[in-house]
Amino acid sequence: QSGLFTSWPGSQVNTSCEPPKGASVQQLRKIQDYNCARVMAATRKDPAAIYYFDRTDEFAWKERAWKAKTRCEWAAAKANVWVGAQMSLEAFGGILMNNSVCCNSIEAPYCSYQAGLYWLPNMALLVAAICV
């Protein structure tokens, strides 16, 4: 079920980033935990984080942060772990990172990036660490 996922007016998420076929329940939970932890780290209430991810305006960043956090909350509530892992991938790579990254691997390097944007997810963790 690849393509564009639309769950809020005006927001489209690329769902071609999916959990690996044949992943175990434990692996799917690890993918979900990993992606949602990155969402939470990147969306702490620090205005400085805005400038590392979205240079348009603070409202756009806050809206994406809210959507990504909400998607992670929905993922945590899902009984189907594959669906929960998929939702966490959409939250971090799709919504928060504007479809620039896919962190669906359970082994290093964990994420694949759109050309030229390989540093963004690590910058999220750096900003979170500095601001805490």
Coordinates of all heavy atoms in Angstrom, one line a residue, residues 44-51 54-66:
R44 N 11.1 18.8 21.3 CA 11.1 19.5 22.6 C 10.8 20.9 22.4 O 11.1 21.5 21.3 CB 12.4 19.2 23.3 CG 12.6 17.8 23.7 CD 13.5 17.7 24.9 NE 13.5 16.4 25.4 CZ 14.3 15.4 25.1 NH1 15.3 15.6 24.2 NH2 14.2 14.3 25.6
K45 N 10.3 21.6 23.4 CA 9.8 23.0 23.3 C 11.0 23.9 23.3 O 11.2 24.8 24.1 CB 8.9 23.3 24.4 CG 7.6 22.6 24.3 CD 6.6 23.0 25.3 CE 5.3 22.3 25.2 NZ 4.2 22.8 25.9
D46 N 11.9 23.8 22.3 CA 13.0 24.7 22.1 C 12.9 25.4 20.8 O 13.0 24.7 19.7 CB 14.3 23.9 22.2 CG 15.5 24.7 22.0 OD1 15.4 26.0 22.3 OD2 16.5 24.2 21.5
P47 N 12.7 26.7 20.8 CA 12.6 27.4 19.5 C 13.9 27.3 18.6 O 13.8 27.4 17.4 CB 12.5 28.9 19.9 CG 12.1 28.9 21.4 CD 12.6 27.5 21.9
A48 N 15.0 27.0 19.2 CA 16.2 26.8 18.4 C 16.1 25.6 17.4 O 16.7 25.6 16.4 CB 17.4 26.7 19.3
A49 N 15.4 24.6 17.8 CA 15.2 23.4 17.0 C 14.5 23.8 15.7 O 14.8 23.1 14.7 CB 14.4 22.4 17.7
I50 N 13.7 24.8 15.7 CA 13.0 25.2 14.5 C 14.0 25.5 13.3 O 13.8 25.1 12.2 CB 12.1 26.4 14.7 CG1 11.1 26.1 15.8 CG2 11.5 27.0 13.4 CD1 10.5 27.4 16.4
Y51 N 15.0 26.1 13.6 CA 15.9 26.6 12.6 C 16.8 25.5 12.0 O 17.3 25.6 10.9 CB 16.8 27.7 13.2 CG 16.0 28.8 13.6 CD1 15.8 29.1 15.0 CD2 15.3 29.6 12.7 CE1 14.9 30.1 15.4 CE2 14.5 30.7 13.1 CZ 14.3 30.9 14.4 OH 13.5 31.9 14.8
D54 N 13.2 23.5 9.9 CA 12.2 24.2 9.0 C 12.5 25.7 9.1 O 12.1 26.3 10.1 CB 10.8 23.9 9.5 CG 9.8 24.4 8.5 OD1 9.9 25.5 8.0 OD2 8.8 23.6 8.2
R55 N 13.0 26.3 8.1 CA 13.4 27.7 8.2 C 12.3 28.6 7.7 O 12.5 29.8 7.5 CB 14.7 27.9 7.3 CG 15.9 27.2 7.9 CD 17.1 27.4 7.1 NE 18.2 26.6 7.7 CZ 19.1 27.1 8.5 NH1 19.0 28.3 9.0 NH2 20.0 26.3 9.0
T56 N 11.1 28.0 7.5 CA 10.0 28.9 7.0 C 9.4 29.7 8.1 O 9.5 30.9 8.1 CB 8.9 28.0 6.3 OG1 8.5 27.0 7.2 CG2 9.4 27.4 5.0
D57 N 8.8 29.1 9.1 CA 8.3 29.8 10.2 C 8.0 28.8 11.4 O 7.8 27.6 11.2 CB 7.0 30.6 9.8 CG 5.9 29.7 9.4 OD1 5.1 29.3 10.3 OD2 5.8 29.4 8.2
E58 N 7.8 29.4 12.5 CA 7.6 28.6 13.7 C 6.3 27.8 13.7 O 6.2 26.7 14.2 CB 7.7 29.5 15.0 CG 7.6 28.7 16.3 CD 7.9 29.6 17.5 OE1 8.3 30.8 17.3 OE2 7.6 29.1 18.6
F59 N 5.3 28.4 13.1 CA 4.0 27.8 13.1 C 4.1 26.5 12.3 O 3.5 25.5 12.7 CB 2.9 28.7 12.5 CG 1.6 28.0 12.4 CD1 0.8 27.9 13.5 CD2 1.1 27.6 11.1 CE1 -0.5 27.2 13.4 CE2 -0.1 26.9 11.0 CZ -0.9 26.8 12.1
A60 N 4.7 26.5 11.2 CA 4.8 25.3 10.3 C 5.5 24.2 11.1 O 5.1 23.0 11.0 CB 5.6 25.6 9.0
W61 N 6.6 24.5 11.8 CA 7.3 23.5 12.6 C 6.4 23.0 13.7 O 6.4 21.8 13.9 CB 8.6 24.1 13.2 CG 9.2 23.2 14.2 CD1 9.2 23.3 15.6 CD2 9.9 22.0 13.9 NE1 9.8 22.2 16.1 CE2 10.3 21.4 15.2 CE3 10.3 21.4 12.7 CZ2 11.0 20.3 15.2 CZ3 11.0 20.2 12.8 CH2 11.4 19.7 14.0
K62 N 5.7 23.9 14.4 CA 4.9 23.4 15.5 C 3.7 22.5 15.0 O 3.4 21.5 15.6 CB 4.3 24.6 16.3 CG 5.3 25.3 17.2 CD 4.7 26.4 17.9 CE 5.7 27.0 18.8 NZ 5.2 28.2 19.6
E63 N 3.2 22.8 13.8 CA 2.2 22.0 13.3 C 2.7 20.6 12.9 O 2.1 19.6 13.2 CB 1.6 22.7 12.0 CG 0.4 21.9 11.4 CD -0.1 22.6 10.2 OE1 0.6 23.4 9.5 OE2 -1.3 22.3 9.8
R64 N 3.9 20.6 12.3 CA 4.4 19.3 11.9 C 4.8 18.5 13.2 O 4.6 17.3 13.2 CB 5.7 19.5 11.1 CG 5.3 19.8 9.6 CD 6.4 19.6 8.6 NE 7.8 19.4 9.0 CZ 8.8 20.2 9.0 NH1 8.6 21.4 8.5 NH2 10.0 19.9 9.4
A65 N 5.3 19.2 14.2 CA 5.7 18.5 15.5 C 4.4 17.9 16.1 O 4.4 16.8 16.6 CB 6.3 19.5 16.4
W66 N 3.3 18.7 16.1 CA 2.1 18.2 16.7 C 1.6 17.0 15.9 O 1.2 16.0 16.5 CB 1.0 19.3 16.7 CG -0.3 18.8 17.2 CD1 -0.7 18.7 18.5 CD2 -1.4 18.3 16.4 NE1 -2.0 18.1 18.5 CE2 -2.4 17.9 17.3 CE3 -1.6 18.2 15.0 CZ2 -3.6 17.5 16.8 CZ3 -2.8 17.8 14.6 CH2 -3.8 17.4 15.5

